[in-house]
Amino acid sequence: MELAVFERVDRLQSFRHVAVRGFWNVRIFALFLLRMRPLSSIPAKMPISSPIQTFLEQLHNQYKGLREGKVASYIPDLMKADPDWFGICVVTFDGQVYEVGDTRQPFTIQSISKPLAYGIALEDSGNEKVLSKIWMEPSGEAFNSISLDPSGRPLNPMINAGAIATTGLIRGHTTEQKVQRILEVFSDYVGHELEIDESVCRSESETGHRNRAIAYMLRNFDVFTDDPMPSLEAYFKQCSILIHCRDLAFIGATLANDGVHPITARRAVGSAHIESMLSVMASCGMYDAAGEWLYSVGMPAKSGVGGGILAVLPGQLAVAVFSPPLDERGNSARGIAVCRELSTRYNLHLFNSVMPSRSVIRHRCTAAQVSSNRSRPAEEIALLNKYGQSIHLIEVQGQVTFGPAERVIRELIACADSAFAMILDFSRVPQMDAVASQIFLESLAALAEKGLWIHVTRSHHLPELSCKSQLMPSNTPSVRLCWEEDADRALEFCENRLLESLGNRHCSSLAVSMENCELFENLSPDELKLLSPMLSTRSFAAGDVIFEEGQAASEMLIILQGKVSVILTLPNGFTYRVNTCTPGMTFGEMGLLDRSPRSATVRADTSILALSLSAEVFEALLNEHPLIYAKLLGNISRHLAIRLRKRNAEVINSHL
Ligand code: GLN
């Protein structure tokens, strides 16, 4: 009975124990779940609104109440526009869109078609022919003024006379052929197919007596040599192409992006014509308000009586505004106000955004401060420390156009007299234009002709700089001018040439014996004797890959004779030599220390004689000969520390 009671108590206790344990287990599990919960139930973060988007919304709010201006009425159909329609859209050269308001409301492009048509005419008829028919002087007159320059040419392609003549210079004999060509190109600008608002077109054609008068005047002055009417009708159609504010901004972004649509990557216009198109937009795009516009907004722009305004900041972005009420000069009243505000707020004025190119030299130093990864004997290191300042290393950065290039070249010339070699690194130059590449090549060739060693490193992504055939004047690159993707090899090359010029025949790798190897420093003769049979001898031919990146590590090698290079493969496919090892040095020890795969490839530069210490032998030493094991580890650590210190010094140097 007692036993039974005890048994019960016992069972009860063990039940409680299980229950209590279970309770805690449940709690721990619940806590675990709680900890997990946030992953699935993190409250959705409020989307972060770009300050640019916020500013556009502010502007929209600020100007939607503006009651200035009247919707165009001279083309009856345009009167159907709602004066409250108001959209703003900014598109960057790479296609980022910021938009607010009625950015998808279709409207007719009207005069904003003029610069685009001008681009087509330049493409179809060539500069010379176009300029012989249409000049590029701002008229300071209204868009529909009946005026020609003294030689009988329209003053510019942005006023109607010039625009009608422009359409005449677009490929095609019939209205349809011209319109098809125009529609195709305009569609490339916006990234989708476009249509014509036939009703607006008819309305304009029925009332377009003034434009007809202009067209016949052009015929009179032989700007047209045959019937101008097909071209005039094509012009009416071109003006009646339907777009919306976002399309308009993409037209501008395409122009800002050198003629290539930022999303579809289709070229809408040849790069060579953009300068001409933007020039006439800048000087004549806003008709009789062109001067004031350039003064206060400072971007090439074009407006249309449909209520659109497009402003382009080359290489950066486009601003498009749509709001039908026009001021007395025929430009969208809200459009002008918004562009002005945007230009002021974001410093978009063309003449304001030119940054002086002071920061084009990212870093400069000499070979007295940094050295190549080639391991060298002490006397070579001493010579390089003493004379290395005649090898200049210059790292160029940023976009390089004429200004920044001139700045670097000036520096090169200034130190040329005392220089032995120059290494120019371009890995941080994303782009260099043709002019900058050319003046670089000219000056580098001149320096090389003078006897300097010139190395251009990491420039493979700059085709015009890497194109040796551009070399002036003889087109034969000097042997002293070299291109090298591995900056370290370039430095080693220059170091070697300098050492040679100092009469030093850089060290052929003499063989060393086991006791002179780094790994065996401080080992007693007895210890060396004991260790010796545990090592095996290995030999490799020049060019052999000794270790391959990613391979499992099973041994470390101690070089008795020859040289190896330790090479990393970079994400861009190029290789970078991180280190070299000469007789007496050990490689492959890192993989043995942490048992991880090889982190680099090791290649034999010459024929190699080496000792191999296998992973098993190394591990067995720990138990069998702990003192030897400790000494080996101490030596490995010391030499890793020396390498790390060298890297630290380089990091500091690269920030000087
Ligand atoms: N189609 C219009 C015209 O020639 C274009 C005018 C404009 O947008 N300024 O009258």
Side-chain angles (χ1 to χ4, degrees):
M1 157 82 189
E2 271 201 12
L3 200 86
V5 169
F6 279 122
E7 253 182 13
R8 263 184 50 210
V9 170
D10 220 35
R11 242 184 280 142
L12 208 69
Q13 272 181 347
S14 68
F15 171 76
R16 270 190 52 199
H17 181 72
V18 169
V20 169
R21 282 255 314 257
F23 172 73
W24 279 108
N25 282 345
V26 168
R27 283 208 36 185
I28 288 166
F29 186 63
L31 271 172
F32 176 71
L33 280 184
L34 269 171
R35 275 192 61 127
M36 296 287 292
R37 241 189 69 216
L39 279 180
S40 52
S41 63
I42 294 174
K45 283 207 187 98
M46 287 286 290
I48 300 170
S49 172
S50 154
I52 295 141
Q53 179 64 31
T54 311
F55 186 54
L56 291 195
E57 283 162 16
Q58 262 173 33
L59 283 179
H60 193 268
N61 249 328
Q62 188 181 340
Y63 287 103
K64 70 178 177 214
L66 186 78
R67 292 280 162 253
E68 229 179 271
K70 280 202 199 76
V71 173
S73 57
Y74 77 104
I75 300 175
D77 236 59
L78 290 182
M79 284 198 305
K80 294 179 189 161
D82 180 343
D84 286 337
W85 283 336
F86 183 23
I88 310 173
C89 185
V90 171
V91 176
T92 60
F93 78 98
D94 57 351
Q96 176 66 40
V97 179
Y98 302 96
E99 59 185 324
V100 57
D102 304 310
T103 52
R104 314 295 167 104
Q105 170 61 49
F107 62 95
T108 50
I109 188 168
Q110 299 297 339
S111 280
I112 307 171
S113 64
K114 290 171 180 170
L116 310 188
Y118 188 57
I120 308 176
L122 287 170
E123 211 141 277
D124 290 355
S125 295
N127 278 41
E128 210 177 310
K129 172 116 187 249
V130 170
L131 289 180
S132 74
K133 301 276 182 187
I134 311 155
W135 202 225
M136 77 299 264
E137 209 56 58
S139 66
E141 289 172 16
F143 69 91
N144 55 3
S145 68
I146 301 187
S147 60
L148 298 175
D149 81 354
S151 66
R153 276 177 302 196
L155 281 141
N156 66 66
M158 300 294 102
I159 53 169
N160 285 9
I164 295 166
T166 299
T167 307
L169 292 166
I170 290 176
R171 197 166 62 216
H173 296 294
T174 63
T175 302
E176 291 66 37
Q177 286 167 342
K178 285 182 188 288
V179 171
Q180 196 190 336
R181 168 97 175 111
I182 292 167
L183 270 174
E184 270 168 22
V185 176
F186 282 25
S187 299
D188 283 341
Y189 274 103
V190 298
H192 61 87
E193 270 189 39
L194 290 172
E195 284 172 9
I196 291 169
D197 185 327
E198 295 295 348
S199 164
V200 172
C201 184
R202 219 172 305 118
S203 183
E204 174 158 18
S205 181
E206 280 162 9
T207 55
H209 313 303
R210 193 179 172 97
N211 280 333
R212 239 167 234 113
I214 291 174
Y216 280 118
M217 175 185 71
L218 294 174
R219 173 69 190 89
N220 179 60
F221 283 93
D222 279 339
V223 174
F224 279 103
T225 48
D226 52 9
D227 182 8
M229 286 307 117
S231 294
L232 181 71
E233 289 305 323
Y235 167 77
F236 289 150
K237 297 240 179 214
Q238 155 197 323
C239 290
S240 304
I241 291 175
L242 277 170
I243 51 158
H244 50 53
C245 187
R246 189 185 160 104
D247 282 342
L248 195 52
F250 267 102
I251 292 175
T254 299
L255 287 171
N257 189 38
D258 198 37
V260 175
H261 189 284
I263 305 297
T264 67
R266 267 180 80 90
R267 180 167 283 287
V269 60
S271 176
H273 306 308
I274 293 181
E275 197 176 286
S276 315
M277 294 162 70
L278 293 178
S279 299
V280 291
M281 285 168 75
S283 59
C284 325
M286 303 300 278
Y287 313 117
D288 36 341
E292 191 189 330
W293 172 272
L294 190 59
Y295 194 91
S296 60
V297 181
M299 283 185 269
K302 191 68 205 85
S303 66
V305 290
I309 290 193
L310 169 64
V312 181
L313 188 56
Q316 294 193 49
L317 51 83
V319 179
V321 187
F322 165 57
S323 163
L326 309 179
D327 63 14
E328 63 288 352
R329 281 134 148 192
N331 298 319
S332 165
R334 288 192 191 106
I336 297 260
V338 166
C339 289
R340 222 179 248 158
E341 294 266 8
L342 270 167
S343 172
T344 309
R345 171 70 177 254
Y346 293 133
N347 252 354
L348 303 182
H349 199 295
L350 260 189
F351 305 141
N352 203 9
S353 56
V354 184
M355 296 276 241
S357 49
R358 284 197 193 97
S359 58
V360 60
I361 295 178
R362 180 171 191 266
H363 182 239
R364 59 175 305 174
C365 60
T366 70
Q369 294 157 308
V370 294
S371 51
S372 72
N373 291 326
R374 164 67 62 200
S375 309
R376 294 184 180 282
E379 69 267 23
E380 289 188 1
I381 295 175
L383 281 174
L384 290 174
N385 285 343
K386 192 161 176 203
Y387 298 103
Q389 80 272 18
S390 63
I391 300 176
H392 295 262
L393 294 99
I394 296 177
E395 195 181 349
V396 186
Q397 70 177 1
Q399 307 258 11
V400 181
T401 49
F402 173 79
E406 183 277 335
R407 177 98 174 76
V408 180
I409 288 164
R410 195 196 309 166
E411 296 276 332
L412 300 182
I413 293 172
C415 65
D417 278 348
S418 59
F420 175 81
M422 289 175 178
I423 301 171
L424 280 105
D425 188 82
F426 291 94
S427 64
R428 288 177 195 267
V429 174
Q431 270 173 322
M432 183 181 297
D433 71 5
V435 168
S437 306
Q438 187 59 35
I439 59 169
F440 256 120
L441 287 174
E442 282 172 30
S443 35
L444 295 179
L447 289 166
E449 292 299 325
K450 281 242 175 274
L452 269 73
W453 287 100
I454 306 290
H455 274 253
V456 176
T457 61
R458 297 192 283 182
S459 66
H460 69 281
H461 57 293
L462 306 171
E464 281 159 324
L465 186 68
S466 304
C467 175
K468 292 146 195 124
S469 64
Q470 283 200 12
L471 278 176
M472 300 285 278
S474 58
N475 263 1
T476 45
S478 156
V479 285
R480 287 177 176 258
L481 178 51
C482 319
W483 281 260
E484 170 67 84
E485 278 312 308
D486 187 332
D488 182 54
R489 279 184 195 280
L491 180 52
E492 182 198 346
F493 180 92
C494 294
E495 287 171 348
N496 288 344
R497 296 294 85 72
L498 179 63
L499 289 170
E500 278 167 14
S501 79
L502 294 169
N504 184 295
R505 282 215 253 110
H506 53 98
C507 202
S508 62
S509 54
L510 296 170
V512 295
S513 54
M514 184 178 164
E515 61 271 26
N516 293 324
C517 292
E518 288 170 2
L519 185 65
F520 306 124
E521 278 166 18
N522 304 324
L523 260 68
S524 69
D526 285 346
E527 287 168 332
L528 283 171
K529 212 177 197 174
L530 202 127
L531 193 59
S532 181
M534 300 183 197
L535 308 173
S536 55
T537 308
R538 310 258 268 129
S539 54
F540 302 93
D544 279 0
V545 171
I546 303 174
F547 295 153
E548 184 106 47
E549 197 176 322
Q551 257 176 1
S554 59
E555 61 177 342
M556 60 177 121
L557 293 175
I558 302 106
I559 308 180
L560 295 177
Q561 186 163 23
K563 287 183 194 177
V564 300
S565 287
V566 183
I567 299 156
L568 290 181
T569 306
L570 303 178
N572 63 7
F574 286 106
T575 55
Y576 179 80
R577 188 188 64 187
V578 257
N579 199 8
T580 60
C581 300
T582 45
M585 294 173 76
T586 304
F587 62 93
E589 73 283 30
M590 275 166 37
L592 244 58
L593 291 178
D594 61 2
R595 303 313 313 253
S596 52
R598 298 292 184 206
S599 53
T601 295
V602 179
R603 183 173 290 120
D605 295 342
T606 61
S607 60
I608 300 290
L609 183 65
L611 293 173
S612 162
L613 175 55
S614 72
E616 296 78 55
V617 171
F618 187 52
E619 266 157 32
L621 283 174
L622 176 60
N623 293 324
E624 290 159 25
H625 304 286
L627 193 59
I628 296 183
Y629 183 80
K631 283 186 179 179
L632 296 185
L633 266 192
N635 289 337
I636 292 174
S637 321
R638 193 168 50 257
H639 286 284
L640 283 179
I642 291 170
R643 262 149 64 187
L644 192 58
R645 249 187 255 285
K646 181 172 183 280
R647 283 281 174 228
N648 288 351
E650 281 167 10
V651 170
I652 291 172
N653 257 320
S654 71
H655 284 83
L656 285 180

